[in-house]
Amino acid sequence: MGSPLEPFTYHHSNIIDSGTKVSVTVRNRISNGVILSQTEKPDFDTSEILEISDFYFEDKQIELARFISTYYFSSLGEALNLMLPFHKNAAHTKKELNLEIKIKLSNKQEKALTFLQKHKTSLLFGDTGSGKTEIYMKYFELMISQNRRSIFLMPEISLTPQMNTRLEEHFGELVVIWHSKLTPLQKRKAQEKIFSGEAMIVAGPRSTLFLPLKDLGLIVVDEEHDDSYKSSSRPRYNARDIAIYMGKIYDINVVLGSATPSLSSYEKFPHIRLKGGHVKSHKKFIYEQSVETLTPLILQYLRETLEKKEQSIVFLPTRANFKYLICGDCGHTYECVFCSVGLSIHQNSRALKCHYCNFTQAIPQVCSECGSGNLTSSRLGTAEAVKNISEELPEANVEQFDRDVITTSSKLKKALKRFNDKESDILVGTQMLSKGHDYHGVTLAVVLGMDNMLNMPDYRSREKALSSLIQVSGRSGRAKDALVLVQSFNELFFSEYIENYEAFLETEKEYRKGLYPPYKKLCRITFSHKNGIKAKEEMQKMYESLLHCINIEIVGFGKCAIERVANKYRYEILLRSDKSTDLIKAIKMTKNQLAEIDMDPLEFN
Ligand SMILES: [Zn+2]
Ligand SMILES: [Zn+2]
């Protein structure tokens, strides 16, 4: 199990049920295995199964693993290794459930819940503060009353202590919070509750999908647009898409929830719209045309907020490993003429390059729009921003709030507590700032370098930029009026859609049709090797075989945007097709040892 190898044949004197976890020797080492099927005695010698365990995988888990291994190009062992098996002797005790029904829904929420119950897979498209969580919780209650279990998927569970508390306060022992940072003791307790069946709701990040739960009745995927649902190591599955697939094989309902849904879910599934927050607050947006720096205007607003003894958050886009060219005077940027994605500055060759199709142009000396020579590629880091703000506003307590500093959930809890107790005045951070935390006293949100997100060499850059801005601005003005200061040359784009994400999705449809998901399937193949020539040769070989495949299009091939990672040179091929089956067929026929397949890729670095 967990190895990239294909299935082997073994023997044992007893008949063993398929799905049973066993111990076997593989190349003289003892290893875990799973019985897939029985077979006639083959004409070659087989070794004996060493030990039969009390753990087993259900047929549906194996079916799911087979799908994952085919669709995402992993071995069956790697796919099964994602899953936790059932325990044979686990006593499935039926507990008397006397859950006090506390959740009262508004009429609008009731209507939404009825809609979700009626559809196999549906989208709850609800603004921040519109009460999505209560709807989920009510739905979980209904499931419990039918003795059925629910999975509640969230991005990076350890990062939303407020949600955990809410679930635990309401569901008590019936809920298990599952995540990778559990201590060994916490993990053992959680597993016991899962094996015994006491856990009726399991909440957590993507691995939660693969826990052994009997009588599954519902899967909720909150923040369904979030990229952390996609695994970045093999199998490179997307948990949201797997949840939808599980809905089919288990014949249960799947609810996708978001304030800023992905175009893919919006296009594919029926949705119900929930507007407005409970607390009506007024938000004013101000746009400043400048590149990613702390301008005098930004510092002035931060100072004024501080003087009023109110709090601010400062948002910087996630550090991307690419640079692009922007005109400091008019904000003009450079796009690929074929792909409508931003061109990145290529380190060595002094060129602008498209990492989808390889289109290349020389770095211009002056702006092609306004003739200015003020072309720049500067970016500001979180630590640097904290330092600069502290220098300008020495009386302010400024905290860095990103992955570099907030490394554990206890650090997160403490930082949030300091901020909510007003011990700190300004939080400076990346995406982490926008992840579902409640900041009660924030009256100013500064959003820096929005154009960096908008110009990413990624077909989803508009979706990502707009949804980030909506999420960040949703963090301010929870109690009173708030100001959102947006640094961007693209006021027209943001102001048109900031309060109307639906209109954005409708426009985005037209832009993506014929080119990008959800209308086309993409697959990215990367080749990494210490020897750059070897990586390039393997890429070339596969490229040439792919030329003979039908119903697929080779969008581009060449060096990756990040040419070297961990001392390995990287090359890539990007494929496009109407159907994933055609991609899978073509790749199966042409795949080589070095090829790493990423189906439905979200990263193009
Ligand atoms: Zn210009
Ligand atoms: Zn291109």
Side-chain angles (χ1 to χ4, degrees):
M1 257 180 86
S3 85
L5 302 171
E6 292 304 307
F8 294 129
T9 307
Y10 290 88
H11 69 264
H12 195 268
S13 50
N14 298 330
I15 293 175
I16 313 171
D17 292 336
S18 51
T20 306
K21 212 173 154 183
V22 294
S23 302
V24 290
T25 36
V26 182
R27 290 176 186 154
N28 300 321
R29 279 175 50 203
I30 295 176
S31 168
N32 287 324
V34 181
I35 306 294
L36 292 174
S37 61
Q38 290 175 37
T39 177
E40 293 290 309
K41 188 175 167 19
D43 45 21
F44 51 84
D45 282 342
T46 52
S47 22
E48 191 173 15
I49 289 171
L50 303 174
E51 206 180 323
I52 303 170
S53 80
D54 287 337
F55 292 95
Y56 68 100
F57 292 95
E58 268 191 350
D59 291 350
K60 279 179 179 155
Q61 286 180 303
I62 294 175
E63 185 184 345
L64 185 62
R66 283 190 197 278
F67 170 77
I68 290 173
S69 79
T70 309
Y71 189 86
Y72 294 105
F73 289 87
S74 73
S75 72
L76 187 55
E78 285 168 326
L80 275 169
N81 207 34
L82 294 170
M83 298 175 196
L84 203 65
F86 286 86
H87 194 269
K88 263 179 194 155
N89 303 323
H92 254 267
T93 43
K94 259 202 183 159
K95 263 209 160 180
E96 259 322 301
L97 304 169
N98 38 30
L99 193 66
E100 201 186 319
I101 309 284
K102 274 185 268 179
I103 297 165
K104 277 263 181 287
L105 297 184
S106 70
N107 282 342
K108 270 202 276 183
Q109 288 172 316
E110 279 291 353
K111 219 179 110 199
L113 178 58
T114 311
F115 180 90
L116 302 176
Q117 286 174 296
K118 258 192 239 157
H119 296 90
K120 277 271 132 203
T121 300
S122 56
L123 173 65
L124 179 57
F125 182 175
D127 298 344
T128 309
S130 64
K132 292 190 290 293
T133 309
E134 282 120 59
I135 300 176
Y136 302 150
M137 286 169 68
K138 188 79 190 175
Y139 207 165
F140 297 147
E141 270 187 3
L142 291 173
M143 281 296 131
I144 293 171
S145 69
Q146 297 167 25
N147 242 315
R148 301 183 78 184
R149 296 192 169 73
S150 305
I151 293 176
F152 186 20
L153 280 196
M154 286 179 255
E156 299 164 40
I157 182 89
S158 59
L159 300 177
T160 51
Q162 279 142 350
M163 178 69 95
N164 296 2
T165 311
R166 227 167 137 183
L167 288 169
E168 279 167 345
E169 273 174 5
H170 186 73
F171 293 106
E173 290 297 303
L174 298 177
V175 68
V176 163
I177 313 278
W178 181 263
H179 58 87
S180 57
K181 293 198 177 84
L182 293 176
T183 63
L185 180 70
Q186 286 172 323
K187 191 172 176 180
R188 215 188 61 222
K189 279 189 174 166
Q191 277 184 350
E192 271 167 20
K193 274 162 79 174
I194 290 165
F195 285 136
S196 73
E198 192 185 347
M200 295 304 288
I201 304 160
V202 186
R206 53 174 195 255
S207 61
T208 310
L209 277 181
F210 306 118
L211 296 172
L213 299 174
K214 293 255 187 224
D215 304 313
L216 192 59
L218 171 69
I219 305 177
V220 170
V221 185
D222 195 27
E223 307 284 338
E224 66 85 28
H225 63 276
D226 198 282
D227 280 5
S228 72
Y229 284 128
K230 171 90 174 168
S231 166
S232 54
S233 59
R234 206 164 59 205
R236 297 172 189 276
Y237 69 96
N238 185 317
R240 177 202 55 208
D241 298 340
I242 293 299
I244 296 164
Y245 187 81
M246 282 172 73
K248 283 179 196 147
I249 57 178
Y250 287 85
D251 192 26
I252 56 170
N253 280 13
V254 177
V255 172
L256 311 174
S258 176
T260 55
S262 62
L263 178 60
S264 147
S265 299
Y266 179 76
E267 180 72 338
K268 285 188 208 153
F269 306 109
H271 73 270
I272 181 130
R273 189 78 178 91
L274 263 188
K275 286 197 178 180
H278 290 318
V279 198
K280 262 274 166 255
S281 71
H282 294 279
K283 238 174 246 144
K284 199 174 138 204
F285 288 86
I286 296 175
Y287 293 85
E288 190 194 13
Q289 300 195 347
S290 61
V291 290
E292 200 175 304
T293 47
L294 289 163
T295 63
L297 185 75
I298 292 170
L299 291 166
Q300 181 200 322
Y301 274 109
L302 286 172
R303 181 173 296 118
E304 282 171 12
T305 310
L306 187 69
E307 281 163 3
K308 282 189 277 178
K309 302 222 178 311
E310 292 174 352
Q311 293 176 300
S312 310
I313 51 173
V314 177
F315 174 82
L316 280 147
T318 307
R319 314 288 317 139
N321 289 298
F322 77 97
K323 282 191 166 179
Y324 74 103
L325 205 60
I326 182 165
C327 171
D329 290 325
C330 78
H332 178 65
T333 56
Y334 293 83
E335 260 191 5
C336 174
V337 282
F338 304 108
C339 305
S340 311
V341 298
L343 294 173
S344 20
I345 297 179
H346 226 252
Q347 317 288 349
N348 308 323
S349 44
R350 298 291 299 152
L352 299 177
K353 197 165 170 185
C354 169
H355 282 288
Y356 280 21
C357 76
N358 263 353
F359 167 78
T360 304
Q361 72 172 69
I363 294 180
Q365 297 303 308
V366 294
C367 171
S368 60
E369 286 299 299
C370 74
S372 157
N374 182 16
L375 295 176
T376 159
S377 63
S378 72
R379 313 243 0 221
L380 183 68
T382 331
E384 200 184 340
V386 170
K387 189 170 153 270
N388 295 350
I389 295 171
S390 305
E391 278 166 13
E392 292 287 334
L393 306 172
E395 66 281 25
N397 281 320
V398 189
E399 276 206 46
Q400 188 175 339
F401 195 72
D402 64 7
R403 264 176 231 261
D404 293 339
V405 171
I406 310 290
T407 47
T408 63
S409 48
S410 86
K411 281 185 184 168
L412 174 77
K413 272 183 202 159
K414 284 178 193 158
L416 286 174
K417 189 170 185 305
R418 277 195 300 275
F419 195 59
N420 281 331
D421 291 349
K422 300 218 165 184
E423 281 169 40
S424 47
D425 305 301
I426 303 172
L427 284 189
V428 181
T430 54
Q431 251 73 2
M432 196 185 268
L433 265 182
S434 62
K435 286 264 150 69
H437 309 301
D438 287 326
Y439 314 114
H440 311 297
V442 170
T443 54
L444 173 67
V446 177
V447 187
L448 289 169
M450 257 294 125
D451 293 345
N452 284 330
M453 290 191 89
L454 207 52
N455 293 304
M456 271 191 296
D458 182 333
Y459 75 91
R460 295 182 310 138
S461 60
R462 277 172 305 277
E463 184 179 316
K464 283 162 111 170
L466 184 62
S467 71
S468 291
L469 181 55
I470 292 173
Q471 309 266 350
V472 182
S473 63
R475 299 292 128 217
S476 63
R478 297 230 131 181
K480 33 183 152 175
D481 292 359
L483 199 68
V484 183
L485 179 57
V486 187
Q487 183 172 59
S488 174
F489 282 98
N490 295 280
E491 176 176 356
L492 227 55
F493 171 77
F494 288 116
S495 60
E496 184 169 0
Y497 299 124
I498 188 85
E499 310 231 341
N500 195 352
Y501 201 73
E502 272 154 312
F504 163 72
L505 290 171
E506 290 299 331
T507 329
E508 191 70 359
K509 279 183 186 176
E510 297 313 311
Y511 158 78
R512 289 209 202 155
K513 268 179 190 158
L515 283 176
Y516 299 118
Y519 310 101
K520 291 275 180 178
K521 283 276 175 183
L522 293 180
C523 185
R524 184 179 186 231
I525 307 160
T526 51
F527 303 82
S528 316
H529 202 276
K530 268 185 261 171
N531 178 349
I533 296 164
K534 168 87 174 155
K536 190 177 179 183
E537 274 173 4
E538 293 303 316
M539 186 266 302
Q540 284 282 358
K541 257 190 252 168
M542 186 158 170
Y543 167 75
E544 274 152 34
S545 332
L546 282 165
L547 287 174
H548 305 291
C549 296
I550 49 160
N551 298 335
I552 60 152
E553 179 195 345
I554 303 173
V555 182
F557 64 100
K559 280 182 183 167
C560 296
I562 306 172
E563 295 177 22
R564 258 173 107 187
V565 170
N567 218 14
K568 283 181 173 175
Y569 291 87
R570 303 168 75 233
Y571 284 82
E572 68 183 334
I573 301 174
L574 185 64
L575 300 178
R576 173 155 60 203
S577 178
D578 286 325
K579 285 191 287 192
S580 53
T581 44
D582 287 327
L583 286 171
I584 292 168
K585 218 184 286 170
I587 292 164
K588 267 200 167 154
M589 273 159 49
T590 58
K591 187 177 185 264
N592 73 36
Q593 282 283 316
L594 220 51
E596 191 63 47
I597 318 293
D598 190 2
M599 196 59 135
D600 307 328
L602 296 182
E603 289 285 347
F604 298 92
N605 282 331

